[in-house]
């Protein structure tokens, strides 16, 4: 599509750049000026034409996707959706419509309730993913990602990986450039089984372990095996963003268990609702919950297993921050409580070592693991044999244990630095969590402007945040936002927080232009 010669940015306006771009294209599409199937100008060309940052164009286009008038085609660009011309009424912004829905339905209450995913895969949850992960996938050099899931890479780790890689590649018995067995490297599975035994999970055989391409693949395989369209899956709320489209695409009904930093209290009402819904799967993150950062108590872990036993559900214990606890002791895994009879333990090395390795694993009952292995063979044949050999040698040499010892002290220090910054900079009435491990803490603004309302203008100022609404089903408002303390860089983080809080304070009067600290 040719560039819109008649459209220029009004730099004297208090309306954010992203909003101006969004409004222009929304009006043109709704009014029929841009027809169905038309490709919108490329992000680079439009940014050059309007003389704005590409981040502003990306944010505006993704809001068009959220509004249902555009679709994103990876590798091709953004196109006008077939639904765009069905109505010529001006669409509300996602945050405005969400606020009205929440007020009308009372969906913000902390009670257990169930709801169905849309009859077709929802565009909205999928459309929100790039906005959250943009700060992780090759971010612009001038972008400070306060809410990303980025894991910093230390120099010592790189040196250790180089040493291990040289050893593995020089040893003909260790290097394997052929297809690995779909279940994974036998020696690596033995090591993982031994580690799980030390954590209290009885694993009689390495055959009860499957190596996957990250924890997300393990979760996808488990859901494919355990649930069918129309089944109910119970999840904690809030939850990590990728979970919502994953469940929606499978046409699974959701039952939510409201969770706070201190975990959740399964009241008689909640228990009755769970038993009525009869979920096939219960997904729980017991340690350093994403995004809240909290940990379940021993009593809460027992309650989850008890409910699974009484309802016939399988508990998927999603434990990707395993090893990142700041204290000397770590609570036993939830899976240790029933010896893997109704639990499946899922973990990975993405948050503890490197996401680039794409290595995760699952451990469970032999029959369940066997079905997951068969399913896995249909998708990718096998996980990278070379990566598995590198990880196995890395663990054998004791590097993983040393690495975790180093980063735990680093992350604890950065957590303390971030909380000190919040005490100095945050608006009066704000609250935040102080996790005892993991990567994230949860920040709550005082009642008023939602962080979702300032997300776009923050991007324009070079700061990426993760608004709390992204960790709830589409249409749910939240005063929270996730902050990554592990990736903190003191000077950049301090300035970025100043920007966010200044924009939040100015949002009520819409004085965007004067909100620079």
């Amino acid at each position: 599509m040719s560039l819109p010669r008649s459209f220029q940015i009004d730099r004297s306006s208090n309306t954010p750049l992203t909003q101006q771009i969004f409004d222009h294209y929304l009006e043109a599409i709704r009014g029929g000026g841009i027809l169905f199937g038309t490709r919108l100008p490329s992000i680079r060309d439009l940014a050059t034409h309007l003389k704005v940052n590409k981040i502003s164009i990306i944010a505006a286009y993704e809001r068009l996707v959220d509004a249902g008038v555009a679709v994103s085609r990876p590798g091709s660009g953004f196109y006008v959706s077939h639904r765009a011309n069905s109505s010529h009424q001006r669409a509300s912004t996602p945050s405005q419509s969400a606020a009205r829905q929440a007020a009308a339905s009372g969906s913000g209450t902390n009670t257990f309730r169930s709801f169905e995913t849309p009859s077709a895969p929802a565009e909205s949850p999928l459309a929100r993913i790039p906005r959250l992960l943009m700060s992780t996938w090759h971010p612009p050099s001038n972008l400070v990602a306060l809410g990303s899931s980025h894991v910093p890479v230390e120099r010592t780790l790189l040196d250790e990986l180089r040493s291990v890689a040289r050893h593995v590649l020089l040893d003909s018995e260790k290097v394997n450039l052929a297809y690995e067995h779909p279940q994974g490297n036998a020696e690596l599975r033995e090591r993982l089984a031994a580690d799980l035994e030390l954590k209290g999970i009885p694993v009689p055989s390495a055959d009860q372990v499957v190596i996957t391409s990250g924890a997300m693949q393990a979760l996808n395989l488990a859901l494919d095996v355990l649930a069918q369209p129309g089944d109910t899956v119970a999840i904690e709320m809030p939850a990590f963003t990728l979970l919502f489209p994953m469940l929606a695409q499978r046409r699974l009904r959701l039952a939510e268990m409201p969770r706070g930093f201190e975990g959740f209290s399964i009241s008689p009402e909640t228990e009755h609702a769970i038993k009525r819904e009869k979920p096939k799967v219960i997904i729980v993150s017991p340690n350093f919950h994403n995004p809240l950062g909290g940990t379940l108590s021993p009593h809460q872990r027992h309650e989850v297993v008890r409910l699974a036993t009484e309802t016939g559900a399988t508990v998927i214990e999603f434990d990707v921050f395993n090893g990142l606890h700041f204290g000397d002791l770590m609570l036993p895994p939830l899976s240790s409580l029933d010896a893997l009879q109704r639990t499946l333990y899922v973990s990975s090395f993405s948050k503890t070592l490197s996401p680039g390795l794409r290595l995760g694993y699952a451990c469970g009952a032999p029959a369940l693991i066997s079905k997951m292995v068969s399913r896995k063979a249909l998708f990718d044949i096998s996980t990278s044999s070379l990566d598995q050999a590198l990880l196995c040698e890395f663990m054998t040499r004791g590097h993983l244990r040393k690495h975790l010892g180093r980063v735990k002290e680093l992350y604890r220090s950065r957590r303390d630095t971030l909380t000190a910054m919040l005490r100095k900079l945050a608006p009066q009435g704000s609250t935040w969590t102080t996790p005892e491990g993991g990567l994230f803490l949860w920040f709550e603004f005082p009642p008023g402007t939602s962080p979702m309302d300032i997300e776009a203008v923050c991007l324009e100022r070079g700061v990426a945040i993760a608004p709390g609404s992204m960790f709830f089903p589409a249409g749910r408002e939240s005063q929270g936002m996730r902050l990554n303390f592990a990736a903190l860089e003191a000077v950049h983080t301090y300035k970025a927080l100043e920007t966010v809080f200044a924009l939040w304070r100015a949002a009520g009067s819409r004085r965007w232009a004067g909100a620079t600290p």
Side-chain angles (χ1 to χ4, degrees):
M1 179 185 178
S2 60
L3 292 170
R5 301 299 177 187
S6 61
F7 171 49
Q8 297 294 331
I9 290 293
D10 182 359
R11 300 187 185 278
S12 64
S13 172
N14 288 337
T15 303
L17 303 181
T18 296
Q19 185 70 41
Q20 292 187 47
I21 299 166
F22 170 78
D23 288 344
H24 168 79
Y25 279 101
L26 185 63
E27 182 176 350
I29 293 171
R30 290 292 190 189
I34 304 178
L35 301 179
F36 154 63
T38 301
R39 181 178 182 272
L40 297 177
S42 75
I43 293 169
R44 177 183 297 175
D45 289 348
L46 188 57
T48 301
H49 172 70
L50 297 177
K51 296 181 174 59
V52 300
N53 194 305
K54 287 190 290 186
I55 293 174
S56 299
I57 309 298
I58 294 171
Y61 278 5
E62 286 175 349
R63 289 186 64 184
L64 292 171
V65 175
D66 277 348
V69 300
V71 293
S72 173
R73 298 177 186 173
S76 179
F78 290 81
Y79 292 77
V80 177
S81 167
H82 69 280
R83 298 191 305 167
N85 304 116
S86 61
S87 170
H88 289 224
Q89 297 178 353
R90 186 177 181 84
S92 301
T93 63
S95 59
Q96 291 171 335
S97 60
R100 287 195 294 270
Q101 292 170 10
S105 65
S107 60
T109 57
N110 289 326
T111 57
F112 180 96
R113 69 184 187 90
S114 64
F115 57 93
E116 292 192 16
T117 57
S119 57
E123 282 187 313
S124 183
L126 290 168
R128 293 183 301 168
I129 293 172
R131 209 162 53 223
L132 176 65
L133 298 183
M134 181 170 53
S135 55
T136 301
W137 296 336
H138 306 294
S141 59
N142 62 339
L143 184 71
V144 179
L146 290 178
S148 77
S149 56
H150 174 67
V151 179
V153 178
E154 53 162 0
R155 181 60 180 268
T156 303
L157 172 61
L158 290 174
D159 291 340
E160 292 169 343
L161 285 173
R162 289 190 190 99
S163 174
V164 169
R166 283 194 295 268
H167 176 78
V168 168
L169 291 172
L170 289 173
D171 190 332
S172 59
E173 294 185 1
K174 291 184 181 297
V175 66
N176 175 20
L177 299 181
Y179 288 120
E180 184 61 83
H181 188 281
Q183 189 158 0
N185 180 294
E187 185 179 354
L188 178 57
R189 288 189 287 112
E190 289 282 357
R191 288 209 60 84
L192 292 172
D195 284 352
L196 292 173
E197 287 272 4
L198 292 175
K199 292 179 173 65
I201 303 177
V203 188
S205 168
D207 290 339
Q208 290 183 236
V209 178
V210 56
I211 309 297
T212 59
S213 299
M216 294 303 293
Q217 186 186 52
L219 182 55
N220 272 290
L221 292 172
L223 288 172
D224 285 345
V225 170
L226 294 170
Q228 299 296 322
D231 287 343
T232 296
V233 175
I235 64 173
E236 300 166 300
M237 199 69 70
F240 58 94
T241 306
L242 293 175
L243 186 58
F244 301 120
M246 184 188 304
L247 299 176
Q249 287 184 317
R250 289 177 168 80
R251 312 295 198 275
L252 296 172
R253 299 180 67 248
L254 305 185
E256 66 178 86
M257 299 182 291
R259 175 165 176 170
F261 180 67
E262 301 298 333
F264 45 74
S265 176
I266 301 180
S267 65
E269 178 188 9
T270 300
E271 182 168 341
H272 174 74
I274 293 175
K275 290 181 178 179
R276 182 184 67 244
E277 293 293 326
K278 293 184 173 60
K280 290 293 183 68
V281 176
I282 301 173
I283 303 175
V284 176
S285 298
N287 301 318
F288 318 126
H289 177 269
N290 178 11
L292 298 176
T295 296
L296 293 183
S297 69
H299 174 71
Q300 291 166 342
R301 295 171 192 239
H302 279 281
E303 287 292 278
V304 173
V305 173
R306 178 183 64 80
L307 278 175
T309 302
E310 294 179 3
T311 59
T314 297
V315 177
I316 299 179
E317 180 176 12
F318 202 70
D319 191 21
V320 295
F321 302 108
N322 168 45
L324 290 180
H325 54 284
F326 299 154
D328 295 329
L329 298 176
M330 188 65 196
L331 291 173
L334 191 148
S335 297
S336 67
L337 303 179
D338 81 329
L340 297 174
Q341 295 180 47
R342 286 208 167 273
T343 54
L344 176 74
Y345 183 85
V346 172
S347 188
S348 82
F349 296 90
S350 294
K351 306 303 183 189
T352 55
L353 186 57
S354 168
L357 284 175
R358 303 310 307 136
L359 289 176
Y361 60 98
C363 180
L368 175 56
I369 295 298
S370 178
K371 291 177 182 178
M372 291 175 63
V373 172
S374 297
R375 187 80 176 169
K376 183 179 187 300
L378 297 176
F379 284 108
D380 64 358
I381 304 177
S382 64
T383 300
S384 167
S385 57
L386 183 57
D387 285 353
Q388 291 183 68
L390 288 172
L391 176 60
C392 188
E393 185 67 17
F394 192 84
M395 295 175 69
T396 299
R397 294 186 173 204
H399 290 317
L400 180 60
R401 176 179 50 80
K402 295 175 184 176
H403 168 72
L404 289 174
R406 292 192 301 267
V407 297
K408 285 194 295 186
E409 289 304 313
L410 175 64
Y411 294 173
R412 188 213 301 264
S413 173
R414 290 182 172 180
R415 178 205 63 184
D416 294 343
T417 299
L418 178 57
T419 55
M421 291 179 183
L422 294 176
R423 284 194 295 270
K424 181 175 182 180
L425 299 174
Q428 186 175 4
S430 302
T431 60
W432 55 87
T433 61
T434 307
E436 290 301 319
L439 307 178
F440 309 117
L441 68 74
W442 182 256
F443 179 89
E444 286 271 352
F445 286 95
T449 301
S450 165
M452 190 74 171
D453 294 333
I454 63 170
E455 180 192 14
V457 74
C458 284
L459 277 174
E460 292 173 5
R461 304 298 173 87
V463 181
I465 63 173
S469 56
M470 304 189 78
F471 304 99
F472 290 92
R476 188 80 59 84
E477 283 286 357
S478 169
Q479 288 299 111
M481 68 175 178
R482 186 183 73 180
L483 295 175
N484 182 337
F485 56 78
L488 177 144
E489 296 181 9
V491 174
H492 296 303
T493 299
Y494 190 92
K495 291 181 179 178
L497 287 172
E498 281 188 315
T499 298
V500 172
F501 294 145
L503 291 170
W504 184 87
R505 290 184 176 99
S509 60
R510 311 301 293 177
R511 291 182 293 104
W512 302 109
T516 304

